[in-house]
Amino acid sequence: MANKNNEALKQPIWVNNPVVVQILGICSALAVTAQLKPAIVMGLSVTVIVAMSNVIISLLRNTIPNRIRIIVQLVVVAALVTIVSEILKAFAYDVSVQLSVYIGLIITNCILMGRLEAFAMQNGPAASFMDGIGNGLGYAAILVVVAFVRELLGSGKLLGFQVIPQWCYDHGYMNNGLMIMPPMALILVGCIIWFHRSKNKDLQEK
Amino acid sequence: MATKKFKCKVCGYVHEGNEAPEKCPLCGAPKSEFEEIVEGGAAPKKKGLDTSSNAYTIIYAAVMVILVAFLLVFVSSTLKERQTANVINDTKAQILASLNIKDQADVASAYQNAVKADMLMQADGSLVPYEGEFCTGYSSEYDAGRLHVFQAEVDGQTKYVIPMNGLGLWGVIWGYIALDEDRQTVYGVYFSHASETPGLGGEIAAPLFQSRFPGKIVTSDGQVALQVLKFGKADKTSAYQIDGVTGATITSTGVNNMINKVLTSYLPFLNGACCAQQCCNEDGCEEEQNVESIED
């Protein structure tokens, strides 16, 4: 059982990553990765929400009427997202302004419904919790990598601090404005998928 | 004889026969994923509840919705106070940004230092102190005819800040324009938006666009003359024209319309700079007072 929980946690972080293997949650991965800070907050919010909704659905799984199970899942997710959004507004206002609609869009993040329907409906709370944490972290990891590259090359900063010295700019270095635009995030995710497939041969299509 | 039934645990496919199939024809799950369905009294339901009955479904949904509703109301009401404080702080930070006071750690005290009074403009252009609570939504204040003017002091000089609201391409845009004591020269501006395209219309919130405003003149011949034009169309030597944002013509036009609409309402105030000082010493004011006392 412990082994199974371990698997549920580890698998989605790299081998079965929700973003690069299942191609879920791409929309928000493009939108919030221009800077590192919102990407980290988004990754953590999704992790918390997937884990919590997984546990709740897993606890309820035997009582949920089969015909309205998707609605029940949606209500649970929507309630959690609303609560997280309210908490952010109260304690991290800047971040909530920056994430604006994307917090609300967590509800429609395919990772959530995917995990609830595919995992939490069949497994116990402990395994579901691990699965949620694993998928959330897998999602967060991709966001952080993309945001790291985009913020570094796009604005020469990391977490808002200037890291590329003025000296470089004086000698003709320029920030890559394209990095700030959403298409670049797609290309970066593409590069990560490329790298991922080259490491995991069994995923390659023949 | 009755055949046994086997149900696939993965997809729910039910197979009839004497033993489970090697592979599920629907989802391809192996034999081990099948479990036998024992019918009749041999398999009493775990909970004694039929989770697929209509009554159960309806009650379940109703209870769930009520519980969630109470939970959300509770969260919202406990955090309300903090959220309002944040919004007020944010509004103050925006007003300060129009006065070129940016990135303050302690917004509340910086605001107190810089902004001396929250005033309302009267029909004749004079200002009276605003008595109510600090507002955060100036769109509704504008619609209600309460025209706010913030009197501020920066480096010993009086500045006036006027809140503005308008429409961009996708949603609302808003901003604050700070004027020098002559009520004509732009000292600084701040713009923000709800949902303009990032990198295009969203650039109205960026320093590059806002840096084009300071030093421009607001009115000419008693009319609003400040204009935001399509990028490249503005006459660089003009004191009234400002280049819009490249590739965001509709948002730039929105900014232009917003400035025009709001400042037109404020014309009595903007044009009143010359006589504002003397007004109260002259007969006009006394006459008004006389009229009032007669009415009393």
Side-chain angles (χ1 to χ4, degrees):
Chain A
M1 195 64 192
N3 199 19
K4 194 185 168 197
N5 290 357
N6 240 344
E7 280 297 288
L9 177 66
K10 278 187 195 154
Q11 278 282 327
I13 292 184
W14 179 243
V15 179
N16 198 12
N17 187 289
V19 181
V20 300
V21 179
Q22 302 165 27
I23 321 289
L24 298 175
I26 290 289
C27 163
S28 51
L30 305 191
V32 298
T33 50
Q35 286 164 338
L36 205 45
K37 191 178 165 196
I40 293 174
V41 175
M42 184 74 174
L44 290 180
S45 315
V46 169
T47 308
V48 170
I49 290 172
V50 185
M52 286 169 66
S53 53
N54 256 2
V55 169
I56 294 175
I57 290 298
S58 168
L59 287 172
L60 295 176
R61 71 186 189 282
N62 290 328
T63 69
I64 296 175
N66 201 34
R67 274 178 293 173
I68 59 165
R69 66 182 195 285
I70 301 283
I71 299 174
V72 174
Q73 290 164 11
L74 254 183
V75 169
V76 168
V77 172
L80 282 172
V81 167
T82 312
I83 291 171
V84 166
S85 149
E86 294 275 312
I87 289 175
L88 278 183
K89 262 188 213 151
F91 295 99
Y93 188 79
D94 293 351
V95 178
S96 85
V97 168
Q98 210 162 13
L99 292 177
S100 59
V101 297
Y102 297 107
I103 282 289
L105 282 182
I106 293 178
I107 299 173
T108 60
N109 192 323
C110 317
I111 296 174
L112 273 113
M113 296 302 282
R115 291 334 286 169
L116 293 180
E117 181 70 4
F119 198 91
M121 288 298 281
Q122 276 96 37
N123 292 281
S128 299
F129 179 76
M130 288 301 180
D131 179 77
I133 296 280
N135 276 284
L137 290 180
Y139 170 76
I142 302 299
L143 250 62
V144 167
V145 170
V146 174
F148 180 86
V149 177
R150 285 182 75 190
E151 188 172 9
L152 183 65
L153 299 183
S155 27
K157 297 175 183 174
L158 283 179
L159 285 171
F161 296 108
Q162 193 71 37
V163 288
I164 294 183
Q166 191 58 39
W167 181 86
C168 296
Y169 293 100
D170 295 342
H171 288 72
Y173 175 81
M174 278 174 80
N175 286 330
N176 184 350
L178 194 58
M179 278 289 171
I180 308 279
M181 310 294 268
M184 215 50 213
L186 196 60
I187 293 173
L188 284 173
V189 170
C191 291
I192 297 175
I193 294 176
W194 180 19
F195 176 72
H196 187 270
R197 295 280 149 111
S198 72
K199 292 278 164 199
N200 296 278
K201 300 274 190 230
D202 52 327
L203 284 173
Q204 290 174 8
E205 284 146 27
K206 301 212 170 86
Chain B
M1 70 167 262
T3 52
K4 292 178 184 169
K5 283 185 177 172
F6 295 89
K7 189 179 172 193
C8 170
K9 282 192 279 187
V10 177
C11 64
Y13 167 77
V14 178
H15 173 85
E16 287 187 29
N18 283 328
E19 63 174 10
E22 283 305 318
K23 219 175 170 191
C24 173
L26 277 188
C27 63
K31 193 174 179 178
S32 58
E33 290 295 320
F34 278 86
E35 64 179 1
E36 190 178 348
I37 304 175
V38 186
E39 287 180 32
K45 285 273 186 277
K46 280 173 269 178
K47 300 250 154 95
L49 258 178
D50 180 10
T51 55
S52 58
S53 78
N54 283 342
Y56 180 81
T57 305
I58 290 170
I59 292 170
Y60 194 94
V63 169
M64 177 183 70
V65 166
I66 291 169
L67 279 182
V68 168
F70 271 107
L71 182 69
L72 290 185
V73 168
F74 172 74
V75 169
S76 160
S77 54
T78 22
L79 296 177
K80 187 94 202 146
E81 205 174 314
R82 254 195 117 90
Q83 291 174 352
T84 321
N86 280 334
V87 174
I88 289 177
N89 237 7
D90 188 48
T91 310
K92 286 179 174 173
Q94 294 181 13
I95 294 173
L96 287 178
S98 74
L99 291 163
N100 301 325
I101 306 173
K102 287 171 187 166
D103 297 325
Q104 291 290 316
D106 185 357
V107 173
S109 65
Y111 180 84
Q112 204 142 32
N113 286 338
V115 181
K116 298 300 173 197
D118 185 351
M119 315 276 258
L120 288 182
M121 191 197 82
Q122 304 298 297
D124 62 353
S126 62
L127 298 178
V128 296
Y130 168 67
E131 302 289 350
E133 280 189 27
F134 184 79
C135 290
T136 52
Y138 287 99
S139 176
S140 51
E141 289 289 289
Y142 180 87
D143 292 340
R146 287 192 290 277
L147 302 176
H148 286 259
V149 177
F150 299 94
Q151 196 176 349
E153 211 175 292
V154 179
D155 299 331
Q157 290 176 315
T158 306
K159 312 284 178 198
Y160 296 101
V161 179
I162 295 174
M164 301 179 290
N165 286 280
L167 285 177
L169 172 59
W170 304 115
V172 292
I173 53 176
W174 64 92
Y176 298 88
I177 184 164
L179 303 173
D180 279 340
E181 196 171 5
D182 62 4
R183 304 177 186 183
Q184 293 296 322
T185 316
V186 179
Y187 177 67
V189 288
Y190 173 87
F191 295 111
S192 193
H193 61 93
S195 46
E196 299 306 298
T197 321
L200 296 172
E203 291 297 298
I204 60 165
L208 177 67
F209 175 61
Q210 297 178 5
S211 67
R212 293 176 189 152
F213 283 83
K216 299 287 179 184
I217 306 297
V218 176
T219 66
S220 156
D221 292 337
Q223 293 301 314
V224 176
L226 191 66
Q227 275 183 309
V228 178
L229 299 170
K230 197 171 167 172
F231 183 78
K233 290 279 162 63
D235 178 359
K236 294 278 181 287
T237 56
S238 160
Y240 307 108
Q241 296 182 348
I242 291 161
D243 267 333
V245 178
T246 330
T249 311
I250 297 178
T251 310
S252 301
T253 311
V255 174
N256 182 52
N257 294 344
M258 168 172 83
I259 292 175
N260 207 302
K261 179 193 83 175
V262 173
L263 292 189
T264 302
S265 317
Y266 278 92
L267 275 177
F269 167 73
L270 299 175
N271 294 330
C274 48
C275 60
Q277 308 293 324
Q278 313 136 11
C279 173
C280 273
N281 302 330
E282 299 198 350
D283 299 339
C285 279
E286 284 172 18
E287 260 176 42
E288 272 178 25
Q289 283 166 2
N290 289 340
V291 172
E292 277 174 20
S293 57
I294 293 168
E295 281 172 358
D296 286 346

